[in-house]
mmCIF file of all heavy atoms in Angstrom:
data_model
loop_
_atom_site.group_PDB
_atom_site.id
_atom_site.type_symbol
_atom_site.label_atom_id
_atom_site.label_comp_id
_atom_site.label_asym_id
_atom_site.label_seq_id
_atom_site.Cartn_x
_atom_site.Cartn_y
_atom_site.Cartn_z
ATOM 1 N N TYR A 14 0.823 -1.218 0.000
ATOM 2 C CA TYR A 14 0.000 0.000 0.000
ATOM 3 C C TYR A 14 0.855 1.266 0.000
ATOM 4 O O TYR A 14 0.527 2.246 -0.652
ATOM 5 C CB TYR A 14 -0.917 -0.010 1.230
ATOM 6 C CG TYR A 14 -1.784 1.211 1.371
ATOM 7 C CD1 TYR A 14 -3.012 1.274 0.738
ATOM 8 C CD2 TYR A 14 -1.379 2.298 2.144
ATOM 9 C CE1 TYR A 14 -3.824 2.392 0.874
ATOM 10 C CE2 TYR A 14 -2.174 3.418 2.276
ATOM 11 C CZ TYR A 14 -3.400 3.454 1.639
ATOM 12 O OH TYR A 14 -4.196 4.568 1.758
ATOM 13 N N HIS A 15 1.962 1.247 0.696
ATOM 14 C CA HIS A 15 2.788 2.440 0.855
ATOM 15 C C HIS A 15 3.784 2.662 -0.286
ATOM 16 O O HIS A 15 4.583 3.599 -0.237
ATOM 17 C CB HIS A 15 3.514 2.403 2.206
ATOM 18 C CG HIS A 15 2.572 2.556 3.354
ATOM 19 N ND1 HIS A 15 1.879 3.721 3.607
ATOM 20 C CD2 HIS A 15 2.173 1.680 4.301
ATOM 21 C CE1 HIS A 15 1.108 3.563 4.667
ATOM 22 N NE2 HIS A 15 1.272 2.326 5.105
ATOM 23 N N GLN A 16 3.716 1.837 -1.322
ATOM 24 C CA GLN A 16 4.605 2.017 -2.479
ATOM 25 C C GLN A 16 4.025 3.069 -3.432
ATOM 26 O O GLN A 16 2.873 3.466 -3.315
ATOM 27 C CB GLN A 16 4.794 0.681 -3.205
ATOM 28 C CG GLN A 16 5.335 -0.432 -2.336
ATOM 29 C CD GLN A 16 6.589 -0.032 -1.584
ATOM 30 O OE1 GLN A 16 7.547 0.472 -2.168
ATOM 31 N NE2 GLN A 16 6.589 -0.237 -0.280
ATOM 32 N N THR A 17 4.835 3.499 -4.389
ATOM 33 C CA THR A 17 4.360 4.473 -5.377
ATOM 34 C C THR A 17 4.281 3.879 -6.779
ATOM 35 O O THR A 17 3.490 4.325 -7.593
ATOM 36 C CB THR A 17 5.280 5.715 -5.406
ATOM 37 O OG1 THR A 17 6.622 5.284 -5.634
ATOM 38 C CG2 THR A 17 5.188 6.472 -4.091
ATOM 39 N N ASP A 18 5.087 2.861 -7.066
ATOM 40 C CA ASP A 18 5.089 2.213 -8.378
ATOM 41 C C ASP A 18 4.475 0.818 -8.245
ATOM 42 O O ASP A 18 5.187 -0.186 -8.207
ATOM 43 C CB ASP A 18 6.520 2.127 -8.921
ATOM 44 C CG ASP A 18 6.594 1.434 -10.271
ATOM 45 O OD1 ASP A 18 5.554 1.260 -10.940
ATOM 46 O OD2 ASP A 18 7.712 1.035 -10.653
ATOM 47 N N TYR A 19 3.150 0.779 -8.171
ATOM 48 C CA TYR A 19 2.469 -0.499 -7.925
ATOM 49 C C TYR A 19 2.765 -1.538 -9.003
ATOM 50 O O TYR A 19 3.021 -2.699 -8.693
ATOM 51 C CB TYR A 19 0.969 -0.298 -7.786
ATOM 52 C CG TYR A 19 0.586 0.531 -6.589
ATOM 53 C CD1 TYR A 19 -0.118 1.717 -6.736
ATOM 54 C CD2 TYR A 19 0.938 0.141 -5.305
ATOM 55 C CE1 TYR A 19 -0.468 2.484 -5.633
ATOM 56 C CE2 TYR A 19 0.599 0.895 -4.196
ATOM 57 C CZ TYR A 19 -0.102 2.066 -4.370
ATOM 58 O OH TYR A 19 -0.447 2.819 -3.287
ATOM 59 N N LEU A 20 2.714 -1.141 -10.257
ATOM 60 C CA LEU A 20 2.953 -2.117 -11.328
ATOM 61 C C LEU A 20 4.379 -2.667 -11.272
ATOM 62 O O LEU A 20 4.599 -3.851 -11.468
ATOM 63 C CB LEU A 20 2.660 -1.501 -12.691
ATOM 64 C CG LEU A 20 1.191 -1.136 -12.925
ATOM 65 C CD1 LEU A 20 1.007 -0.481 -14.289
ATOM 66 C CD2 LEU A 20 0.294 -2.353 -12.790
ATOM 67 N N GLY A 21 5.328 -1.814 -10.988
ATOM 68 C CA GLY A 21 6.707 -2.270 -10.840
ATOM 69 C C GLY A 21 6.870 -3.205 -9.658
ATOM 70 O O GLY A 21 7.567 -4.222 -9.737
ATOM 71 N N GLU A 22 6.225 -2.867 -8.552
ATOM 72 C CA GLU A 22 6.311 -3.693 -7.344
ATOM 73 C C GLU A 22 5.645 -5.054 -7.534
ATOM 74 O O GLU A 22 6.069 -6.041 -6.947
ATOM 75 C CB GLU A 22 5.695 -2.964 -6.150
ATOM 76 C CG GLU A 22 6.469 -1.741 -5.716
ATOM 77 C CD GLU A 22 7.868 -2.073 -5.195
ATOM 78 O OE1 GLU A 22 8.033 -3.084 -4.494
ATOM 79 O OE2 GLU A 22 8.789 -1.299 -5.500
ATOM 80 N N LEU A 23 4.594 -5.111 -8.358
ATOM 81 C CA LEU A 23 3.916 -6.395 -8.600
ATOM 82 C C LEU A 23 4.849 -7.418 -9.232
ATOM 83 O O LEU A 23 4.703 -8.611 -8.999
ATOM 84 C CB LEU A 23 2.694 -6.200 -9.499
ATOM 85 C CG LEU A 23 1.417 -5.789 -8.810
ATOM 86 C CD1 LEU A 23 0.314 -5.573 -9.826
ATOM 87 C CD2 LEU A 23 0.985 -6.793 -7.764
ATOM 88 N N ARG A 24 5.819 -6.939 -10.025
ATOM 89 C CA ARG A 24 6.753 -7.870 -10.668
ATOM 90 C C ARG A 24 7.534 -8.695 -9.654
ATOM 91 O O ARG A 24 7.961 -9.803 -9.944
ATOM 92 C CB ARG A 24 7.714 -7.107 -11.576
ATOM 93 C CG ARG A 24 7.061 -6.672 -12.847
ATOM 94 C CD ARG A 24 8.071 -6.066 -13.832
ATOM 95 N NE ARG A 24 7.443 -4.905 -14.418
ATOM 96 C CZ ARG A 24 7.820 -3.641 -14.211
ATOM 97 N NH1 ARG A 24 8.869 -3.368 -13.487
ATOM 98 N NH2 ARG A 24 7.157 -2.655 -14.768
ATOM 99 N N GLY A 25 7.714 -8.161 -8.459
ATOM 100 C CA GLY A 25 8.443 -8.876 -7.414
ATOM 101 C C GLY A 25 7.551 -9.656 -6.467
ATOM 102 O O GLY A 25 8.037 -10.236 -5.507
ATOM 103 N N SER A 26 6.266 -9.680 -6.738
ATOM 104 C CA SER A 26 5.339 -10.402 -5.852
ATOM 105 C C SER A 26 5.181 -11.845 -6.318
ATOM 106 O O SER A 26 5.565 -12.198 -7.422
ATOM 107 C CB SER A 26 3.987 -9.704 -5.826
ATOM 108 O OG SER A 26 3.351 -9.832 -7.089
ATOM 109 N N ARG A 27 4.573 -12.641 -5.459
ATOM 110 C CA ARG A 27 4.304 -14.042 -5.771
ATOM 111 C C ARG A 27 2.880 -14.359 -5.333
ATOM 112 O O ARG A 27 2.290 -13.659 -4.530
ATOM 113 C CB ARG A 27 5.276 -14.974 -5.025
ATOM 114 C CG ARG A 27 6.732 -14.724 -5.316
ATOM 115 C CD ARG A 27 7.087 -15.167 -6.738
ATOM 116 N NE ARG A 27 8.476 -14.899 -7.037
ATOM 117 C CZ ARG A 27 8.916 -13.852 -7.739
ATOM 118 N NH1 ARG A 27 8.076 -12.951 -8.201
ATOM 119 N NH2 ARG A 27 10.195 -13.695 -7.995
ATOM 120 N N GLY A 28 2.361 -15.449 -5.859
ATOM 121 C CA GLY A 28 1.044 -15.915 -5.440
ATOM 122 C C GLY A 28 0.025 -15.873 -6.556
ATOM 123 O O GLY A 28 0.318 -15.574 -7.709
ATOM 124 N N HIS A 29 -1.183 -16.168 -6.163
ATOM 125 C CA HIS A 29 -2.340 -16.271 -7.051
ATOM 126 C C HIS A 29 -3.381 -15.357 -6.412
ATOM 127 O O HIS A 29 -3.989 -15.721 -5.400
ATOM 128 C CB HIS A 29 -2.760 -17.746 -7.063
ATOM 129 C CG HIS A 29 -4.015 -18.052 -7.790
ATOM 130 N ND1 HIS A 29 -4.129 -17.949 -9.153
ATOM 131 C CD2 HIS A 29 -5.216 -18.474 -7.343
ATOM 132 C CE1 HIS A 29 -5.347 -18.304 -9.512
ATOM 133 N NE2 HIS A 29 -6.023 -18.623 -8.429
ATOM 134 N N PHE A 30 -3.594 -14.137 -6.931
ATOM 135 C CA PHE A 30 -4.370 -13.143 -6.194
ATOM 136 C C PHE A 30 -4.938 -12.034 -7.070
ATOM 137 O O PHE A 30 -4.527 -11.850 -8.218
ATOM 138 C CB PHE A 30 -3.490 -12.490 -5.121
ATOM 139 C CG PHE A 30 -2.286 -11.779 -5.686
ATOM 140 C CD1 PHE A 30 -2.372 -10.472 -6.132
ATOM 141 C CD2 PHE A 30 -1.065 -12.422 -5.776
ATOM 142 C CE1 PHE A 30 -1.273 -9.825 -6.672
ATOM 143 C CE2 PHE A 30 0.050 -11.784 -6.308
ATOM 144 C CZ PHE A 30 -0.068 -10.472 -6.764
ATOM 145 N N LEU A 31 -5.855 -11.317 -6.462
ATOM 146 C CA LEU A 31 -6.329 -10.016 -6.926
ATOM 147 C C LEU A 31 -6.197 -9.076 -5.741
ATOM 148 O O LEU A 31 -6.452 -9.469 -4.605
ATOM 149 C CB LEU A 31 -7.813 -10.061 -7.311
ATOM 150 C CG LEU A 31 -8.189 -10.795 -8.577
ATOM 151 C CD1 LEU A 31 -9.699 -10.949 -8.659
ATOM 152 C CD2 LEU A 31 -7.699 -10.037 -9.787
ATOM 153 N N ILE A 32 -5.811 -7.846 -5.992
ATOM 154 C CA ILE A 32 -5.735 -6.833 -4.948
ATOM 155 C C ILE A 32 -6.638 -5.677 -5.338
ATOM 156 O O ILE A 32 -6.627 -5.235 -6.490
ATOM 157 C CB ILE A 32 -4.297 -6.304 -4.777
ATOM 158 C CG1 ILE A 32 -3.389 -7.396 -4.236
ATOM 159 C CG2 ILE A 32 -4.268 -5.080 -3.862
ATOM 160 C CD1 ILE A 32 -1.932 -6.991 -4.166
ATOM 161 N N VAL A 33 -7.414 -5.185 -4.376
ATOM 162 C CA VAL A 33 -8.174 -3.953 -4.558
ATOM 163 C C VAL A 33 -7.634 -2.961 -3.543
ATOM 164 O O VAL A 33 -7.554 -3.267 -2.349
ATOM 165 C CB VAL A 33 -9.687 -4.167 -4.366
ATOM 166 C CG1 VAL A 33 -10.439 -2.848 -4.511
ATOM 167 C CG2 VAL A 33 -10.210 -5.191 -5.377
ATOM 168 N N LEU A 34 -7.243 -1.795 -4.035
ATOM 169 C CA LEU A 34 -6.600 -0.778 -3.216
ATOM 170 C C LEU A 34 -7.320 0.549 -3.424
ATOM 171 O O LEU A 34 -7.582 0.932 -4.562
ATOM 172 C CB LEU A 34 -5.135 -0.662 -3.648
ATOM 173 C CG LEU A 34 -4.250 0.365 -2.974
ATOM 174 C CD1 LEU A 34 -2.821 -0.158 -2.946
ATOM 175 C CD2 LEU A 34 -4.279 1.692 -3.674
ATOM 176 N N ARG A 35 -7.670 1.217 -2.340
ATOM 177 C CA ARG A 35 -8.241 2.565 -2.421
ATOM 178 C C ARG A 35 -7.329 3.493 -1.631
ATOM 179 O O ARG A 35 -7.064 3.266 -0.446
ATOM 180 C CB ARG A 35 -9.651 2.616 -1.853
ATOM 181 C CG ARG A 35 -10.242 4.024 -1.935
ATOM 182 C CD ARG A 35 -11.719 4.017 -1.570
ATOM 183 N NE ARG A 35 -12.248 5.333 -1.443
ATOM 184 C CZ ARG A 35 -12.734 6.073 -2.444
ATOM 185 N NH1 ARG A 35 -12.734 5.585 -3.665
ATOM 186 N NH2 ARG A 35 -13.208 7.277 -2.231
ATOM 187 N N LYS A 36 -6.842 4.532 -2.338
ATOM 188 C CA LYS A 36 -5.910 5.470 -1.727
ATOM 189 C C LYS A 36 -6.134 6.846 -2.358
ATOM 190 O O LYS A 36 -6.199 6.967 -3.580
ATOM 191 C CB LYS A 36 -4.473 4.994 -1.975
ATOM 192 C CG LYS A 36 -3.403 5.780 -1.275
ATOM 193 C CD LYS A 36 -2.056 5.105 -1.541
ATOM 194 C CE LYS A 36 -0.939 5.726 -0.757
ATOM 195 N NZ LYS A 36 0.340 5.035 -1.019
ATOM 196 N N ALA A 37 -6.296 7.860 -1.503
ATOM 197 C CA ALA A 37 -6.464 9.243 -1.966
ATOM 198 C C ALA A 37 -7.598 9.385 -2.980
ATOM 199 O O ALA A 37 -7.475 10.063 -3.988
ATOM 200 C CB ALA A 37 -5.155 9.763 -2.533
ATOM 201 N N GLY A 38 -8.722 8.697 -2.724
ATOM 202 C CA GLY A 38 -9.892 8.818 -3.582
ATOM 203 C C GLY A 38 -9.849 8.024 -4.869
ATOM 204 O O GLY A 38 -10.770 8.080 -5.672
ATOM 205 N N GLN A 39 -8.789 7.263 -5.088
ATOM 206 C CA GLN A 39 -8.654 6.457 -6.296
ATOM 207 C C GLN A 39 -8.692 4.980 -5.922
ATOM 208 O O GLN A 39 -8.019 4.554 -4.980
ATOM 209 C CB GLN A 39 -7.345 6.791 -6.995
ATOM 210 C CG GLN A 39 -7.177 6.116 -8.323
ATOM 211 C CD GLN A 39 -5.893 6.538 -9.027
ATOM 212 O OE1 GLN A 39 -4.935 6.981 -8.394
ATOM 213 N NE2 GLN A 39 -5.859 6.381 -10.329
ATOM 214 N N THR A 40 -9.463 4.183 -6.671
ATOM 215 C CA THR A 40 -9.553 2.747 -6.428
ATOM 216 C C THR A 40 -8.891 2.011 -7.585
ATOM 217 O O THR A 40 -9.201 2.276 -8.746
ATOM 218 C CB THR A 40 -11.020 2.299 -6.274
ATOM 219 O OG1 THR A 40 -11.623 3.078 -5.243
ATOM 220 C CG2 THR A 40 -11.109 0.827 -5.922
ATOM 221 N N LEU A 41 -7.997 1.096 -7.248
ATOM 222 C CA LEU A 41 -7.240 0.338 -8.245
ATOM 223 C C LEU A 41 -7.422 -1.156 -8.020
ATOM 224 O O LEU A 41 -7.565 -1.600 -6.886
ATOM 225 C CB LEU A 41 -5.755 0.685 -8.145
ATOM 226 C CG LEU A 41 -5.401 2.168 -8.241
ATOM 227 C CD1 LEU A 41 -3.942 2.385 -7.846
ATOM 228 C CD2 LEU A 41 -5.663 2.697 -9.626
ATOM 229 N N LEU A 42 -7.374 -1.911 -9.087
ATOM 230 C CA LEU A 42 -7.446 -3.367 -9.013
ATOM 231 C C LEU A 42 -6.208 -3.924 -9.706
ATOM 232 O O LEU A 42 -5.878 -3.506 -10.815
ATOM 233 C CB LEU A 42 -8.712 -3.879 -9.706
ATOM 234 C CG LEU A 42 -8.934 -5.382 -9.610
ATOM 235 C CD1 LEU A 42 -10.403 -5.677 -9.408
ATOM 236 C CD2 LEU A 42 -8.412 -6.102 -10.819
ATOM 237 N N PHE A 43 -5.529 -4.838 -9.030
ATOM 238 C CA PHE A 43 -4.334 -5.463 -9.580
ATOM 239 C C PHE A 43 -4.502 -6.980 -9.571
ATOM 240 O O PHE A 43 -5.027 -7.543 -8.618
ATOM 241 C CB PHE A 43 -3.096 -5.123 -8.744
ATOM 242 C CG PHE A 43 -2.819 -3.651 -8.654
ATOM 243 C CD1 PHE A 43 -3.158 -2.954 -7.510
ATOM 244 C CD2 PHE A 43 -2.232 -2.982 -9.705
ATOM 245 C CE1 PHE A 43 -2.901 -1.593 -7.410
ATOM 246 C CE2 PHE A 43 -1.976 -1.627 -9.616
ATOM 247 C CZ PHE A 43 -2.305 -0.928 -8.467
ATOM 248 N N LYS A 44 -4.013 -7.615 -10.635
ATOM 249 C CA LYS A 44 -3.989 -9.077 -10.697
ATOM 250 C C LYS A 44 -2.553 -9.546 -10.514
ATOM 251 O O LYS A 44 -1.612 -8.786 -10.739
ATOM 252 C CB LYS A 44 -4.515 -9.557 -12.048
ATOM 253 C CG LYS A 44 -6.001 -9.258 -12.254
ATOM 254 C CD LYS A 44 -6.486 -9.807 -13.565
ATOM 255 C CE LYS A 44 -6.920 -11.227 -13.319
ATOM 256 N NZ LYS A 44 -7.595 -11.852 -14.452
ATOM 257 N N ASP A 45 -2.406 -10.809 -10.133
ATOM 258 C CA ASP A 45 -1.063 -11.373 -9.997
ATOM 259 C C ASP A 45 -0.328 -11.260 -11.336
ATOM 260 O O ASP A 45 -0.957 -11.082 -12.376
ATOM 261 C CB ASP A 45 -1.125 -12.814 -9.484
ATOM 262 C CG ASP A 45 -1.897 -13.735 -10.396
ATOM 263 O OD1 ASP A 45 -1.463 -13.933 -11.547
ATOM 264 O OD2 ASP A 45 -2.936 -14.250 -9.968
ATOM 265 N N PRO A 46 1.004 -11.326 -11.314
ATOM 266 C CA PRO A 46 1.786 -11.072 -12.528
ATOM 267 C C PRO A 46 1.417 -11.919 -13.744
ATOM 268 O O PRO A 46 1.595 -11.478 -14.874
ATOM 269 C CB PRO A 46 3.228 -11.343 -12.092
ATOM 270 C CG PRO A 46 3.231 -11.022 -10.639
ATOM 271 C CD PRO A 46 1.883 -11.481 -10.144
ATOM 272 N N ILE A 47 0.908 -13.123 -13.545
ATOM 273 C CA ILE A 47 0.521 -13.926 -14.716
ATOM 274 C C ILE A 47 -0.988 -13.899 -14.960
ATOM 275 O O ILE A 47 -1.480 -14.577 -15.850
ATOM 276 C CB ILE A 47 1.043 -15.378 -14.620
ATOM 277 C CG1 ILE A 47 0.481 -16.096 -13.401
ATOM 278 C CG2 ILE A 47 2.548 -15.412 -14.627
ATOM 279 C CD1 ILE A 47 0.783 -17.583 -13.394
ATOM 280 N N GLY A 48 -1.711 -13.103 -14.186
ATOM 281 C CA GLY A 48 -3.147 -12.921 -14.418
ATOM 282 C C GLY A 48 -3.968 -14.171 -14.235
ATOM 283 O O GLY A 48 -4.954 -14.392 -14.932
ATOM 284 N N SER A 49 -3.595 -15.002 -13.265
ATOM 285 C CA SER A 49 -4.232 -16.310 -13.132
ATOM 286 C C SER A 49 -5.529 -16.304 -12.321
ATOM 287 O O SER A 49 -6.251 -17.288 -12.326
ATOM 288 C CB SER A 49 -3.249 -17.304 -12.515
ATOM 289 O OG SER A 49 -2.891 -16.890 -11.211
ATOM 290 N N TYR A 50 -5.834 -15.218 -11.632
ATOM 291 C CA TYR A 50 -7.036 -15.195 -10.800
ATOM 292 C C TYR A 50 -8.210 -14.693 -11.632
ATOM 293 O O TYR A 50 -8.137 -13.634 -12.247
ATOM 294 C CB TYR A 50 -6.832 -14.286 -9.585
ATOM 295 C CG TYR A 50 -7.641 -14.725 -8.391
ATOM 296 C CD1 TYR A 50 -7.060 -15.449 -7.369
ATOM 297 C CD2 TYR A 50 -8.996 -14.437 -8.296
ATOM 298 C CE1 TYR A 50 -7.794 -15.870 -6.280
ATOM 299 C CE2 TYR A 50 -9.740 -14.851 -7.210
ATOM 300 C CZ TYR A 50 -9.133 -15.566 -6.215
ATOM 301 O OH TYR A 50 -9.864 -15.988 -5.136
ATOM 302 N N GLU A 51 -9.303 -15.451 -11.649
ATOM 303 C CA GLU A 51 -10.445 -15.103 -12.500
ATOM 304 C C GLU A 51 -11.241 -13.934 -11.934
ATOM 305 O O GLU A 51 -11.429 -13.804 -10.726
ATOM 306 C CB GLU A 51 -11.370 -16.303 -12.683
ATOM 307 C CG GLU A 51 -10.748 -17.378 -13.542
ATOM 308 C CD GLU A 51 -11.735 -18.449 -13.892
ATOM 309 O OE1 GLU A 51 -12.123 -19.193 -12.979
ATOM 310 O OE2 GLU A 51 -12.108 -18.528 -15.077
ATOM 311 N N LEU A 52 -11.728 -13.112 -12.855
ATOM 312 C CA LEU A 52 -12.532 -11.947 -12.531
ATOM 313 C C LEU A 52 -13.671 -11.885 -13.534
ATOM 314 O O LEU A 52 -13.450 -12.078 -14.734
ATOM 315 C CB LEU A 52 -11.656 -10.691 -12.626
ATOM 316 C CG LEU A 52 -12.250 -9.395 -12.145
ATOM 317 C CD1 LEU A 52 -12.515 -9.455 -10.638
ATOM 318 C CD2 LEU A 52 -11.299 -8.253 -12.441
ATOM 319 N N PHE A 53 -14.876 -11.625 -13.051
ATOM 320 C CA PHE A 53 -16.046 -11.608 -13.916
ATOM 321 C C PHE A 53 -16.707 -10.236 -13.866
ATOM 322 O O PHE A 53 -16.863 -9.659 -12.793
ATOM 323 C CB PHE A 53 -17.046 -12.686 -13.466
ATOM 324 C CG PHE A 53 -16.438 -14.060 -13.443
ATOM 325 C CD1 PHE A 53 -15.933 -14.584 -12.261
ATOM 326 C CD2 PHE A 53 -16.340 -14.812 -14.599
ATOM 327 C CE1 PHE A 53 -15.353 -15.837 -12.224
ATOM 328 C CE2 PHE A 53 -15.758 -16.067 -14.574
ATOM 329 C CZ PHE A 53 -15.275 -16.587 -13.386
ATOM 330 N N LEU A 54 -17.091 -9.729 -15.028
ATOM 331 C CA LEU A 54 -17.772 -8.448 -15.146
ATOM 332 C C LEU A 54 -19.138 -8.668 -15.758
ATOM 333 O O LEU A 54 -19.295 -9.516 -16.644
ATOM 334 C CB LEU A 54 -17.001 -7.496 -16.069
ATOM 335 C CG LEU A 54 -15.709 -6.909 -15.545
ATOM 336 C CD1 LEU A 54 -14.597 -7.907 -15.539
ATOM 337 C CD2 LEU A 54 -15.347 -5.692 -16.341
ATOM 338 N N THR A 55 -20.107 -7.896 -15.301
ATOM 339 C CA THR A 55 -21.405 -7.937 -15.968
ATOM 340 C C THR A 55 -21.259 -7.200 -17.294
ATOM 341 O O THR A 55 -20.376 -6.357 -17.463
ATOM 342 C CB THR A 55 -22.510 -7.294 -15.106
ATOM 343 O OG1 THR A 55 -22.111 -5.967 -14.749
ATOM 344 C CG2 THR A 55 -22.777 -8.114 -13.859
ATOM 345 N N ARG A 56 -22.115 -7.530 -18.229
ATOM 346 C CA ARG A 56 -22.011 -6.968 -19.577
ATOM 347 C C ARG A 56 -22.000 -5.440 -19.575
ATOM 348 O O ARG A 56 -21.280 -4.816 -20.342
ATOM 349 C CB ARG A 56 -23.161 -7.480 -20.455
ATOM 350 C CG ARG A 56 -23.038 -7.047 -21.903
ATOM 351 C CD ARG A 56 -24.094 -7.657 -22.786
ATOM 352 N NE ARG A 56 -24.000 -9.100 -22.878
ATOM 353 C CZ ARG A 56 -23.245 -9.752 -23.771
ATOM 354 N NH1 ARG A 56 -22.509 -9.078 -24.614
ATOM 355 N NH2 ARG A 56 -23.216 -11.058 -23.808
ATOM 356 N N ASP A 57 -22.772 -4.826 -18.677
ATOM 357 C CA ASP A 57 -22.838 -3.360 -18.636
ATOM 358 C C ASP A 57 -21.717 -2.730 -17.811
ATOM 359 O O ASP A 57 -21.618 -1.506 -17.711
ATOM 360 C CB ASP A 57 -24.195 -2.886 -18.118
ATOM 361 C CG ASP A 57 -24.466 -3.291 -16.680
ATOM 362 O OD1 ASP A 57 -23.596 -3.917 -16.031
ATOM 363 O OD2 ASP A 57 -25.573 -2.984 -16.192
ATOM 364 N N GLY A 58 -20.863 -3.550 -17.201
ATOM 365 C CA GLY A 58 -19.730 -3.047 -16.432
ATOM 366 C C GLY A 58 -20.080 -2.495 -15.067
ATOM 367 O O GLY A 58 -19.226 -1.940 -14.385
#
C-alpha cells in the first residue's frame, strides 16, 4: 500500500491473487503477474 510504483512492485510479488486498493480517492485493481485469478464483469460493467 505504501509504495508508489504499484505495477513495478507487482513484478516482485508471488502468489495467485487479486488486490483492490483505495488510496487518496482512487480505487485500483491489480492481478497477480501472470493474471491467473479469474474476474467476472457484468455486460454493462
Side-chain angles (χ1 to χ4, degrees):
Y14 178 87
H15 292 293
Q16 303 309 309
T17 55
D18 179 15
Y19 296 121
L20 294 178
E22 293 296 321
L23 275 177
R24 285 187 222 112
S26 68
R27 302 289 179 260
H29 174 69
F30 60 85
L31 288 170
I32 293 174
V33 178
L34 178 149
R35 180 171 171 86
K36 186 176 186 179
Q39 186 177 23
T40 305
L41 306 169
L42 184 141
F43 301 102
K44 293 183 88 172
D45 60 63
I47 61 171
S49 63
Y50 209 100
E51 290 189 291
L52 188 65
F53 303 96
L54 288 75
T55 55
R56 186 175 296 272
D57 64 2

